[in-house]
Amino acid sequence: MPTIEAPVGLKTELFIDGRWEDLPDQPRIQVHNPATGEVIASIPDASPEDGRRAVAAANAAQASFAAMSSRARADILLGAHKLLLDSKEELAAIMTAEMGKPLAEARGEIEYSAGYLQWYAQEGVRVQGSHAESPSGRGQIVLSREPVGVSLLITPWNFPLAMGARKIAPAIATGCAVVVKPAEKTPLTMLYLARLFEQAGAPSGTINVVTTSRSSALVAPLLGEGLIRHLSFTGSTFVGSKLHSQCSDHMIRTSLELGGNAPFIVFEDVDLDKAVTEITAAKMRNMGEACTAANRVLVHQSIADELTARLTDKFASLRVGNGLVEGTEIGPMIDDASVERIQSLVDDAVSRGADTRTGGAVPSGVGSFYPPTVLANVPRDARLMQEEIFGPVAPIIPFTDEDDAVALANDTIYGLAGYLMTNDLARAHRVARRLEVGMVGINSGIISDVAAPLGGVKASGIGREGGVLGIDEFLEYKYTFIPHQ
C-alpha cells in the first residue's frame, strides 16, 4: 500500500512511564485509512513484556497518585479538557483518517469526550464517605472511598477517543494509574490523547499506552499474574466473556460494556417524519458502527409500508464518501472484513424473504464502503434478528400489538439499549419498564450523555460508565469501626 504523509500532531510510539518509545527492533503495525486503503502510520507492535513494563510503571506511580489531592487531579483533567478542545481540528483529521467517520462526527466525538474530562474533574472532588453511630452504641461506623488501584483499559475502534476518555477521566479523578490498550485499527487517537495528558501535567506512570496486534498475548499475563486490580473493557461479548473468566483467579474487578441488539419500536400514533429522523439518528450515527445503534426497527403493521417508504427516501439521500471530505454523511466501514460480514447478514435476510428497498450491495471502487440499506418485511428468523449488524442497515420488522413488540424486542441475549416512539405517555412508561435493557430512549434516537450511566444487562455487560455511577467502578469502600472510649 502507498504511504501518505502523517498529520502534524501524530504520535506513533508507545507511552510508558512518561516516555515515548519507538522500539525500532519490534514488529510494526500499519494503520490504514479505510476510505482509501492507504497507510497513514506505522507504530510499534508491543510485546507481553512491554505490557508488563507499562503495568510496573503504573504500580510504581499508584501510591503517590492516590495520595495526590483530588483538586490537583481535577486540574490535570481540566488542563487536558482545554488542550483537547484547542486541538479539535487536528485530532478530528487524525480520527477520521484512521477510523473513517465523517469530520463532523469526529468533531462531535471530541466535544463529547471533552465533556467527560470536565464532568469527572468536577465529580472527583465530590467523592464522599459517611459516618454513623453504631446501633449497638459501641462506637462509630465510618465508610471511606479509596481508589481501586491500577486499571487496564481496553478501548474499541469505533469511538477511539470517547471510549478512552470515558474510562480515563474517572480513573484520573479517583487516583487510579492506568494502562490503556487501544484497538489495533485506531491507535493514533489514543496516543494523541496521551500526549495531551502529558502536557496537562499527568505524573509519569499514571497514564501508559501500549499498542499491539497481539492483544490476548499481551493482556493474558497481566490478568493471569494478578498485575492489575481493575479491568475496563469495551468490545464484543465473546471477548468480554473470556476476559471476565481470566479475571476470576485474582478477583480482578471487571467493568464490561459489550455487544448490543437494540430494538427501535415505532407505534402507530407517531409522526412519521419525526420517526424517520430519530431512526436515522439511532441507526446511522457512526455509520451504524455503535453498540447502541438500532439493530432492529420494529414498526406497527398499520404504518410499516409508509414508514419504510419514507425511511428509504432518507437513506437513499445520504452522502457516502471519504470522511475527510466536508459534507460527507456516511464514511467507510472499518475494514473489508466488516463489509463482508454486513453483506452476509443482508444476503441471509433477503434469502429468507426480505425486500431490499435501497442499498444492499457492496459498491465498486476503493475503500471499505457499504451503502445505507433499508430491508422491508424482514422475517423473524433472519440472522440479523440475533446478530449485531454494526453497519448502515435498517431491517424493518412489522409487529401486531404492544405485547408482540415487547416480545420481539426482548428476544435476544443482549440488553444494552432500546428505543421506542409513541405519543401515549402511559404506554411509553409501560413499555420502557418491560424492555430488558440498561438504557431506553423515548422519542429520541440519541441517548448518550456524559451525565448519564451507560451499560447493559444480560450479555451486554457488567457495570456502568459515565455519570455519577461511572466513578464507582474505580473506587472501593473501606469500613472502619471506631469504638467509644
Side-chain angles (χ1 to χ4, degrees), residues 437-451:
V437 296
M439 301 174 286
V440 179
I442 297 177
N443 295 334
S444 175
I446 299 294
I447 58 176
S448 297
D449 192 294
V450 297

Side-chain angles (χ1 to χ4, degrees), residues 212-391:
T212 185
S213 67
R214 300 165 285 179
S215 296
S216 33
L218 185 145
V219 170
L222 307 182
L223 303 180
E225 297 167 20
L227 300 178
I228 64 166
R229 293 311 315 146
H230 176 211
L231 167 72
S232 178
F233 169 79
T234 299
S236 73
T237 296
F238 176 77
V239 174
S241 177
K242 285 184 173 294
L243 292 172
H244 190 229
S245 177
Q246 290 173 338
C247 287
S248 63
D249 285 348
H250 294 280
M251 298 299 174
I252 297 169
R253 176 181 289 188
T254 56
S255 305
L256 306 174
E257 197 254 293
L258 308 177
N261 186 8
F264 195 113
I265 305 172
V266 184
F267 288 100
E268 67 277 12
D269 61 343
V270 303
D271 177 273
L272 293 183
D273 288 336
K274 169 69 171 174
V276 167
T277 297
E278 299 306 329
I279 293 168
T280 302
K283 177 72 262 186
M284 303 306 280
R285 181 189 181 203
N286 213 51
M287 299 85 72
E289 293 177 320
C291 51
T292 55
N295 206 63
R296 299 163 293 151
V297 183
L298 313 179
V299 183
H300 191 272
Q301 60 188 8
S302 66
I303 60 169
D305 289 344
E306 180 61 24
L307 181 62
T308 299
R310 296 192 192 196
L311 192 65
T312 297
D313 289 344
K314 176 64 176 179
F315 274 33
S317 72
L318 296 172
R319 288 167 290 184
V320 179
N322 189 327
L324 290 170
V325 177
E326 293 285 3
T328 295
E329 295 174 287
I330 305 296
M333 301 298 97
I334 190 62
D335 56 23
D336 288 347
S338 180
V339 171
E340 292 171 4
R341 183 185 52 77
I342 294 168
Q343 186 64 62
S344 73
L345 290 173
V346 170
D347 290 344
D348 171 77
V350 171
S351 73
R352 297 173 189 269
D355 178 21
T356 304
R357 295 299 175 88
T358 188
V362 180
S364 60
V366 299
S368 301
F369 290 95
Y370 199 84
T373 298
V374 175
L375 300 177
N377 300 309
V378 173
R380 300 185 181 195
D381 62 349
R383 283 172 49 203
L384 52 68
M385 293 292 288
Q386 298 297 331
E387 298 181 33
E388 196 168 14
I389 300 170
F390 234 64

Side-chain angles (χ1 to χ4, degrees), residues 404-417:
D404 186 35
V406 171
L408 269 173
N410 290 338
D411 184 21
T412 173
I413 65 170
Y414 300 105
L416 188 59

